[in-house]
Amino acid sequence: MSKENKVTDLQDIISHAKEYGFVFPSSEIYDGLGAVYDYGQYGVELKKNIQEYWWKSMVQLHENIVGLDAAIFMHPKTWKASGHVDAFNDPLIDNKDSKKRYRADVLIEEAMTKIEDKITKEVDKAEKKFGETFDKAMFLQTNPNVLRNKEKVATIEARFKKALEDSNMDELKQIIVDLEIVCPISGTRNWTEVRQFNLMFSTQVGAIADESETIYLRPETAQGIFVNFLNVLNTSRQRIPFGIAQVGKAFRNEVVARQFIFRTREFEQMEMQFFVRPGTEMEWFEKWKETRMAWHKSLGFAEADLKLHKHIKLAFYANAAVDIEYNFPFGFKEIEGIHSRTNHDLTQHQNMSGKKLQYFDHELNESYVPYVVETSIGLNRTILAVLSNSYKVEKLEDGTERTVLNFPPFLAPIKAAILPLVKKDGLPEKAREIMNELKFDHLCFYDEKDSIGKRYRRQDALGTPFCITVDHDTLTDNKVTIRDRDTMKQERVDISELRRIVGEKVDWRKAVK
Ligand code: GAP
């Protein structure tokens, strides 16, 4: 299926996701709750399949990675030690005319991307003009427009990095002013000052407010892994290097959350902390960068829709960090972060708790606090990427259109639809027999309503790889028609072959091998 059919309008994707039971606005009968979403009957299956694939890829395929399921509530000291109480902030700015609130750092990054885009356009233009004789390297070094824009980006980048490092909100505002950034809604430059805003949700434990303590809804799952480092080490027979993986909910009071399930206040992370010997962390950082990029490609994302983005500003404890970005309908944005976090978190928890969080390395005959390379991916963002990548409106040869979600088969919510051609003559009973056999292996869907054409279209729109049709001949020859979602080709096969055919097509190993 060609890429031209891909739908790139986020609104269309949101409408399709709602109409076909993938994603609903939360508590919609009360007009919804900002930046919170519910997953419908097919969304929950897609989510489960992505999560399961991540878990299998990380835990099942790596003997040196084990799983964990830590509680959402943690001792409040956890968040003091991790630095979240004091420094888990976003710099925010309001436009006084539109009354819209933005993240100052995002406004600046977007403005820098626009300048970089100008350089790319300039190069493309020259490439078209000069054809084969075009010397790109020379052009980049000599063209006055390119040089001016390159210098502009470098200057802003240096100022931006320093402002973030110094938490200098006045300077962030000044960069916004100097870049002449306008509010996309009001079109004006009437900005407030930039202020810091802590993103953690807090609540109380205990029935009586006075006696209770403030606790937080975890803003990342990673800390549950750090505080369990010793428990896992002492009970799992793992030796360094080894990893602990976890999938779970995280909560952030995001102020700017306007891109559907891309940025929400309640979301799920799939994180893995890989504990290594100090000094080997860069090697592991490179390895995990490659491994995770290959995983994203295995979801069917084109190489051109993925890129690595090196962090401009490293957290003070990190010595390397990179984002894997996907080309969402609103541009390249982070889907996963890979961070070399040194021994910061374990050391902080060791200091705060007074418990030794160390590893005795028999080869070196010494104890140390291990270094950590983290891979942290958002499950909801991955769902959005998979939906965006799969949603196509295709023009057919007869002039009609069909909407299809061409999910990789192992991720499809429904694997096969069982369809009796008509609702009589014993066809439903035969179809039920097939359904009752296949449902032990896969989620299948039985449907006898509407014309067969309409039923095919509905399954295409849900992303079902196979439609199995039972007709009158089935009753005598024990064969059915199996229709492939992507090619729309129909083949007549023996009922006894169905388990094998469907099973092979939806096998997740195909993605990793
Ligand atoms: N433990 C590291 C950590 O939490 P992060 O870059 O803040 O790093 C990791 O988050 C991933 O979690 C992101 O790449 C993104 O996919 C996902 N994520 C973060 N905030 C999110 C939000 N508000 N809504 C949805 N996903 C989010």
Side-chain angles (χ1 to χ4, degrees):
M1 202 170 296
S2 81
K3 208 180 147 160
E4 285 106 68
N5 301 315
K6 198 164 144 177
V7 176
T8 51
D9 186 334
L10 182 64
Q11 274 316 318
D12 287 347
I13 295 168
I14 296 173
S15 305
H16 189 84
K18 175 149 189 249
E19 188 182 343
Y20 284 90
F22 284 88
V23 185
F24 306 130
S26 157
S27 31
E28 198 186 5
I29 57 168
Y30 297 106
D31 294 333
L33 181 65
V36 187
Y37 290 89
D38 297 339
Y39 289 80
Q41 64 276 25
Y42 301 119
V44 69
E45 296 293 336
L46 178 61
K47 188 159 162 248
K48 181 179 65 77
N49 292 345
I50 295 174
Q51 178 190 323
E52 217 169 82
Y53 177 51
W54 180 86
W55 190 266
K56 283 180 176 166
S57 312
M58 299 299 272
V59 179
Q60 195 168 317
L61 296 189
H62 290 96
E63 286 172 39
N64 60 352
I65 299 182
V66 295
L68 179 79
D69 184 15
I72 288 172
F73 291 140
M74 299 180 71
H75 194 285
K77 280 188 183 167
T78 309
W79 306 109
K80 191 78 192 150
S82 68
H84 285 81
V85 171
D86 298 319
F88 192 51
N89 301 320
D90 269 352
L92 299 180
I93 189 165
D94 291 19
N95 182 270
K96 290 182 194 164
D97 298 318
S98 67
K99 310 271 184 267
K100 287 280 172 202
R101 185 162 287 175
Y102 299 91
R103 269 177 58 180
D105 55 335
V106 172
L107 285 181
I108 296 169
E109 275 177 1
E110 283 174 357
M112 288 199 298
T113 307
K114 274 190 193 149
I115 304 171
E116 279 162 350
D117 287 348
K118 280 188 194 164
I119 300 175
T120 313
K121 274 192 191 135
E122 199 81 44
V123 173
D124 290 348
K125 214 167 77 190
E127 202 159 16
K128 269 199 194 116
K129 191 170 159 194
F130 297 113
E132 282 185 4
T133 58
F134 180 61
D135 183 343
K136 187 172 168 186
M138 178 64 87
F139 184 82
L140 284 171
Q141 278 168 26
T142 54
N143 179 276
N145 287 342
V146 169
L147 290 178
R148 200 181 47 251
N149 281 325
K150 268 169 111 178
E151 188 176 330
K152 204 168 167 185
V153 173
T155 312
I156 296 161
E157 200 171 298
R159 280 178 66 190
F160 181 42
K161 188 168 180 241
K162 181 147 179 25
L164 289 175
E165 275 165 6
D166 299 347
S167 285
N168 185 342
M169 299 300 114
D170 293 343
E171 174 66 351
L172 283 183
K173 162 89 187 271
Q174 196 53 49
I175 297 173
I176 288 172
V177 171
D178 294 347
L179 281 171
E180 301 182 343
I181 295 174
V182 295
C183 164
I185 310 284
S186 67
T188 71
R189 295 184 208 140
N190 195 6
W191 296 110
T192 60
E193 297 310 307
V194 178
R195 11 186 237 297
Q196 296 277 32
F197 178 85
N198 192 289
L199 297 178
M200 280 202 296
F201 284 103
S202 61
T203 187
Q204 321 265 238
V205 273
I208 305 161
D210 283 354
E211 287 173 13
S212 64
E213 259 187 293
T214 297
I215 57 165
Y216 298 96
L217 296 186
R218 66 180 177 198
E220 62 170 9
T221 58
Q223 298 304 325
I225 294 179
F226 290 124
V227 300
N228 276 294
F229 166 71
L230 269 194
N231 285 335
V232 175
L233 181 69
N234 292 338
T235 55
S236 67
R237 301 176 72 93
Q238 289 291 344
R239 290 284 160 260
I240 269 174
F242 78 95
I244 305 178
Q246 172 166 229
V247 180
K249 293 259 183 182
F251 303 83
R252 295 183 190 178
N253 196 3
E254 301 281 3
V255 177
V256 184
R258 292 191 201 110
Q259 286 153 330
F260 190 37
I261 52 173
F262 178 80
R263 192 183 305 284
T264 49
R265 300 199 166 105
E266 174 180 342
F267 57 99
E268 266 163 270
Q269 291 186 314
M270 306 188 284
E271 298 201 296
M272 193 276 297
Q273 313 298 128
F274 202 69
F275 300 91
V276 304
R277 186 184 281 175
T280 63
E281 69 275 12
M282 292 318 291
E283 222 175 277
W284 286 108
F285 177 74
E286 289 306 319
K287 184 184 174 303
W288 280 113
K289 207 164 80 179
E290 266 170 42
T291 307
R292 294 305 304 148
M293 195 56 152
W295 188 85
H296 286 274
K297 287 181 193 156
S298 76
L299 296 180
F301 301 156
E303 200 141 347
D305 285 333
L306 289 167
K307 71 177 181 193
L308 290 170
H309 171 83
K310 228 172 133 180
H311 282 208
I312 290 185
K313 181 206 168 197
L314 287 179
F316 69 92
Y317 52 80
N319 58 8
V322 75
D323 294 336
I324 295 179
E325 294 189 339
Y326 174 75
N327 191 10
F328 286 99
F330 36 85
F332 276 98
K333 296 273 178 224
E334 174 186 348
I335 186 166
E336 170 156 11
I338 296 152
H339 314 122
S340 174
R341 293 177 77 132
T342 65
N343 59 2
H344 170 77
D345 300 85
L346 286 180
T347 307
Q348 285 291 103
H349 288 304
Q350 180 169 269
N351 294 343
M352 184 70 80
S353 67
K355 308 270 164 20
K356 256 189 167 185
L357 299 181
Q358 302 202 350
Y359 174 79
F360 182 74
D361 191 321
H362 288 275
E363 272 175 42
L364 299 181
N365 200 26
E366 67 179 61
S367 290
Y368 52 74
V369 179
Y371 271 43
V372 171
V373 174
E374 159 187 81
T375 69
S376 173
I377 175 172
L379 176 53
N380 316 72
R381 279 190 197 178
T382 314
I383 295 170
L384 181 58
V386 168
L387 274 174
S388 314
N389 196 52
S390 309
Y391 183 38
K392 317 266 157 66
V393 176
E394 223 188 356
K395 267 239 166 322
L396 302 179
E397 276 171 12
D398 64 3
T400 59
E401 274 187 352
R402 74 160 181 156
T403 300
V404 57
L405 289 174
N406 69 339
F407 295 133
F410 68 101
L411 294 183
I414 305 167
K415 305 298 191 215
I418 324 293
L419 316 170
L421 191 60
V422 289
K423 247 196 282 183
K424 54 183 185 181
D425 304 334
L427 302 194
E429 289 76 7
K430 190 74 188 167
R432 283 271 177 219
E433 265 177 40
I434 297 172
M435 175 82 185
N436 287 338
E437 181 59 26
L438 289 185
K439 75 182 180 189
F440 284 93
D441 296 319
H442 312 290
L443 184 68
C444 298
F445 189 90
Y446 176 85
D447 191 8
E448 56 182 28
K449 213 172 132 233
D450 292 327
S451 72
I452 193 74
K454 269 195 186 157
R455 281 181 274 166
Y456 284 160
R457 288 289 174 275
R458 181 166 170 74
Q459 293 305 320
D460 287 344
L462 294 173
T464 307
F466 287 120
C467 283
I468 295 165
T469 306
V470 173
D471 58 24
H472 289 94
D473 290 341
T474 308
L475 302 179
T476 49
D477 66 5
N478 243 6
K479 288 184 191 292
V480 287
T481 303
I482 183 160
R483 172 187 178 270
D484 182 286
R485 175 198 66 198
D486 299 336
T487 61
M488 289 186 286
K489 286 215 173 93
Q490 301 187 15
E491 211 187 321
R492 197 116 185 117
V493 302
D494 207 278
I495 290 174
S496 61
E497 283 290 287
L498 284 175
R499 273 190 78 191
R500 182 189 59 78
I501 296 172
V502 179
E504 278 176 7
K505 177 96 172 183
V506 304
D507 191 350
W508 68 281
R509 279 167 213 248
K510 280 205 179 134
V512 268
K513 277 193 174 168

